[in-house]
Amino acid sequence: MTLADRWLLPDGVDESLPVQAGRIENLRRALLDLHHSWGYQLVIPPLLEYLDSLLTGAGSDLDNETFKVIDQLSGRMMGIRADFTSQVARIDAHCLKGESIQRLCYCGSVLRTVPSGLDGTRSPIQLGAELYGHGGVESDIEILSLMIETLSVVGISAPVLDLGHVDIVRDLMAVCNLTDFQRDTIAEFYKTKDLPELNRFVSSIDVSKEQSDWLNALPRLCGDASVLEKAALVLSGVSEKTDLALKELLLVKETVSLRFPDVRFHFDLSDLVSYNYHTGLVFAAYLPGYGNAIARGGRYNNIGEVFGRSRPATGFSADLKTLVMLSDGEVEKRPVVLAPTENDIALWDAVSKLRREGFKVVQALEGEIPAVDVDFKLICVKGDWQTIAADL
């Protein structure tokens, strides 16, 4: 390793310098204040936990994305969190324990062994909100609405929402009585939208003509809201569970459209999200011209079962760094006052007063050239410390 290489960060790991860090912190405060105004309480889980706890339940999907380390005190394997969901589920199930509906939010760094999305980041700052204890579509709509308002604070008022429902895919496969191999194969074709190979594979398995039509039709049911009407006809007869899922999607679309008229919709009824713990409505927000989802979430009922308490849950998350990059917000600029450094209690009192009033006061050390633009200077006039314009 050369001397120059010692200052390089690992691929996908970045840092924020003062201006960017200021924007991130301003937005973090604004968004957590927004979530607080909706009744969501802040939790701060630990950065690392014992692996058997961190990768239990929902966290098992993150095994390959989780950095593992050995605890020097206990000798046990630990993991650095790659996502908050399993940790918040543990908090709801094991720490809070109440039977009432629980609204929780969080914001903190996560670390992943592999890049997340096309931007290549392995060190997002994950912000999110989760609602525990309610299994109805009303809580899905609440979480989805909060996600949209979160984006509006950033300045994104017209995202494209991609909506799906995991129950439709899983229920259809269950009705067709597919083997695990058949399910996995068809799921892969759904993810890649490889329709010719899907058709060939479905024709080779033992299902009825009606079931074959359903399996082949599902990935073609994607597009605008008219997809829901078409799906009600094409998937008629699959099951009551599928009918209910389609009705929920329609209700979500109608309610969100009333609340946020500028939001556009896209439906994909064969959508299979990355994590297996999702159980119902799944959604993601996109911005035209930007390839990755800027926020995503969905329902994950019974997520706390492995912690001894099965509860319905729904939530969403986003990368705060991405939101800052997409926003046009600037860091609030406070007037800068340059003051001398002297052992004078009157000077100290004047500096403290200016700071309380919202000024940024830099007490220059010997030989220091301030790294920021100076608006005012603090000078002593006949024993009285006064601010004057810096150019005087």
Side-chain angles (χ1 to χ4, degrees):
M1 176 182 290
T2 66
L3 181 60
D5 291 337
R6 294 177 185 173
W7 315 117
L8 295 178
L9 293 173
D11 289 343
V13 176
D14 56 18
E15 59 194 353
S16 299
L17 300 182
V19 172
Q20 182 75 352
R23 295 182 66 197
I24 290 172
E25 179 60 15
N26 283 356
L27 186 58
R28 185 192 70 86
R29 294 179 189 180
L31 293 179
L32 288 180
D33 284 346
L34 169 69
H35 292 191
H36 179 72
S37 73
W38 280 55
Y40 286 75
Q41 301 180 88
L42 179 66
V43 292
I44 306 177
L47 181 61
L48 76 169
E49 295 189 36
Y50 290 124
L51 202 61
D52 51 4
S53 172
L54 190 65
L55 297 185
T56 293
S60 61
D61 283 339
L62 296 165
D63 189 8
N64 292 333
E65 298 180 39
T66 300
F67 279 98
K68 284 93 171 177
V69 297
I70 296 177
D71 182 12
Q72 298 299 312
L73 294 181
S74 67
R76 294 174 60 185
M77 189 67 73
M78 304 183 78
I80 301 172
R81 68 176 176 227
D83 186 86
F84 274 88
T85 300
S86 61
Q87 292 186 300
V88 180
R90 174 184 56 75
I91 288 173
D92 173 72
H94 185 67
C95 302
L96 300 178
K97 300 181 181 179
E99 294 302 323
S100 62
I101 290 174
Q102 195 72 253
R103 292 176 173 87
L104 302 174
C105 64
Y106 55 82
C107 185
S109 295
V110 298
L111 192 63
R112 295 170 182 158
T113 59
V114 293
S116 175
L118 299 176
D119 57 3
T121 182
R122 295 196 290 167
S123 55
I125 298 177
Q126 191 176 32
L127 172 123
E130 303 186 8
L131 189 153
Y132 292 85
H134 187 273
V137 68
E138 296 84 3
S139 50
D140 289 315
I141 292 172
E142 176 176 321
I143 281 289
L144 190 50
S145 298
L146 178 56
M147 184 185 80
I148 296 170
E149 288 221 344
T150 295
L151 297 178
S152 71
V153 170
V154 179
I156 301 171
S157 59
V160 177
L161 290 186
D162 189 55
L163 299 179
H165 205 295
V166 173
D167 285 350
I168 295 175
V169 186
R170 292 179 180 164
D171 193 43
L172 177 55
M173 291 185 177
V175 167
C176 295
N177 198 27
L178 302 179
T179 66
D180 289 343
F181 171 75
Q182 291 169 345
R183 290 169 188 255
D184 293 343
T185 303
I186 290 176
E188 189 61 31
F189 291 145
Y190 283 173
K191 288 180 180 178
T192 60
K193 291 291 189 287
D194 191 342
L195 303 185
E197 286 301 318
L198 172 67
N199 292 345
R200 279 191 284 270
F201 182 78
V202 170
S203 66
S204 71
I205 62 178
D206 185 19
V207 293
S208 70
K209 174 64 167 61
E210 184 179 41
Q211 292 171 340
S212 174
D213 290 342
W214 289 337
L215 291 169
N216 285 322
L218 195 59
R220 293 173 168 86
L221 293 172
C222 58
D224 60 23
S226 64
V227 163
L228 300 181
E229 296 180 11
K230 183 178 179 181
L233 296 174
V234 173
L235 302 179
S236 176
V238 173
S239 69
E240 291 184 1
K241 192 172 184 179
T242 295
D243 293 341
L244 178 60
L246 291 172
K247 290 178 181 177
E248 287 184 354
L249 283 170
L250 181 59
L251 178 59
V252 169
K253 189 268 177 186
E254 291 174 343
T255 305
V256 172
S257 293
L258 286 173
R259 296 179 178 181
F260 307 97
D262 293 333
V263 170
R264 290 170 287 169
F265 294 88
H266 179 270
F267 295 86
D268 185 352
L269 301 192
S270 66
D271 184 27
L272 289 167
V273 294
S274 300
Y275 301 136
N276 293 321
Y277 56 75
H278 284 287
T279 59
L281 180 75
V282 290
F283 49 84
Y286 290 87
L287 190 63
Y290 187 76
N292 293 333
I294 56 177
R296 62 171 65 249
R299 177 160 292 280
Y300 31 89
N301 288 343
N302 308 320
I303 192 172
E305 184 174 6
V306 292
F307 297 110
R309 188 155 167 264
S310 179
R311 297 247 283 174
T314 181
F316 84 93
S317 64
D319 176 18
L320 192 61
K321 291 180 182 177
T322 297
L323 297 183
V324 167
M325 178 186 69
L326 296 173
S327 74
D328 55 5
E330 298 295 332
V331 176
E332 177 187 3
K333 188 180 185 306
R334 294 186 177 188
V336 177
V337 179
L338 185 64
T341 299
E342 297 180 13
N343 188 18
D344 182 343
I345 191 61
L347 170 61
W348 175 254
D349 290 342
V351 167
S352 299
K353 181 174 182 293
L354 287 169
R355 287 171 175 160
R356 288 194 300 269
E357 292 174 349
F359 291 88
K360 180 187 293 187
V361 182
V362 176
Q363 288 192 270
L365 301 174
E366 183 178 354
E368 179 181 5
I369 299 176
V372 294
D373 293 334
V374 175
D375 301 292
F376 300 97
K377 293 186 293 186
L378 188 62
I379 64 172
C380 186
V381 179
K382 296 181 180 180
D384 182 31
W385 288 98
Q386 300 177 7
T387 56
I388 62 171
D391 55 0
L392 294 181

